[in-house]
Amino acid sequence: MSLWTSLEPASATVDPGGSTRVRLRLRNTGDVVDEYRFEPVGSIAPWTAVEPQTLRLYPGTTGTVDLTFTPPRTPDATAGPNPYAVRITPTEHPEAVTVPEGNLTITPFTEVRAELVPPTVKGRFRGRPQLAVDNLGNTRLTASISGSDNGDQLSYDIHPGNVQIEPGRAAFVKASLKPRKIIWFGPKEQRPYTLNVLRSGANPLPVEGTYLQRGFLPRWLATFLGVLTALAVTFLMLWIAYKPQVRTSATEQLKDAGVSTLAPAPSPTASVPPPPAATAPTPQPAAETSTAAAAGGGGGGGASAKPKPKPATAATAVRKLAAKDAGRHICYRAFIAGDGWTDAVCDGAATGTVDDAKKITALNIAVSGALGSAANAFIHNPDSTDGNGHWEPQWSAIIADQKDNYVGSTKDDAPYMTGFAINIGSGQVCETARNTGWDWGGQGCADARPKYIFGGTLDNSRWLVAVKFTV
């Protein structure tokens, strides 16, 4: 069996969202009638249509087939040269497959979307919004972020100031807004501002938000302090005006009783109430030993070791953080098999281990300003038949802020976690995870429940080694 093929043209160019056509010519150079089947192969095969899909040729005759390429205007249509091929299978000789190859160049396009989360932030001294920048184009996006407002009322601390985002991915930029003037008393004031996404050779993409600045002291407290001051001044004036003359009367009574005012008064015995039982100091072992020795006429005693303090949980950490900053926060820690709990970290810091041999078997999470959290662990399945782990039987839900939520297990024989799912009651939660043998994955986010975000992997052989969370 012999077959001659030719692609016309061998290289073509197409815009995402458009289409282009390439003609495939073929000649039956054999000596029998044959029918040929055509199948596109390669990364752009889903966007390739072949018409007709079969062609019957007599010996020495030539036929043509049209290949139509229609890449979508999405990040999946990678910009640049994309090789393609068509598999030609003859009916009479199916083992004699021919695969002519060509090249399709997809032109680049840029599409950027940005959103402030949340669009309105409140605070007395600062606000902390996040800017989500999505690259919806098919080329890498490089941009810088800047802030501005009318009247220069705010200063901006933006991190990172520059981002590089791959097609189809997103980046989160943290911004800290600080008012240049403090409102000591009075109502809230709205301060509109704009974060600009700046790209080379393109117009800035503005994203507008509002910073709602509160007064340092609430209005009702200022009124209360004014009334209290007025009452204090009035009382002082009345006291000065109507102060009773008690000195003369007292002196006369002392003289009548024959008592000298120069004699020192007796010192009364002060009766100090005992402290509450809940805060009473615990006797030290050394004091107990001394008492026993005095009662028994001697003897030795050993000092007992101080109990090891319990590690701070995620709820302890988030309460301390919320006391300093009343915004939205998430704190978390990981249980490493053989090592125990890591220290609790918060708001995007990494917890876990840098040792790929170590395995996370449990997570402890607590939130503030997010109406609690719910989570489930995806764990190793020793009986797996498809190479995947499995979920724990049920979710662990804590529908309250500043409370500990646990998933997984800290037992000695606990299976390691390969992934997890998490959601919160208000706002958005984001995660980034790293599994053994892999680098950090991309950041994923989900809105409030019932939506949730999955982190990690289903792969039964890839255990979880580190995680990050933000809200």
Side-chain angles (χ1 to χ4, degrees), residues 122-140:
K122 304 176 183 178
R124 293 180 174 86
F125 303 109
R126 62 174 53 86
R128 290 190 174 92
Q130 279 193 336
L131 180 67
V133 183
D134 295 286
N135 182 6
L136 304 180
N138 64 350
T139 59
R140 176 184 293 180

Side-chain angles (χ1 to χ4, degrees), residues 4-13 20-27 62-69 84 86 88 100-104:
W4 171 86
T5 62
S6 174
L7 288 169
E8 300 176 359
S11 296
T13 301
T20 190
R21 181 174 297 175
V22 172
R23 178 157 292 179
L24 171 62
R25 293 183 180 276
L26 65 162
R27 180 184 299 116
T62 301
T64 59
V65 173
D66 289 332
L67 307 178
T68 304
F69 303 97
Y84 70 89
V86 180
I88 305 174
E101 298 179 352
N103 185 72
L104 180 69

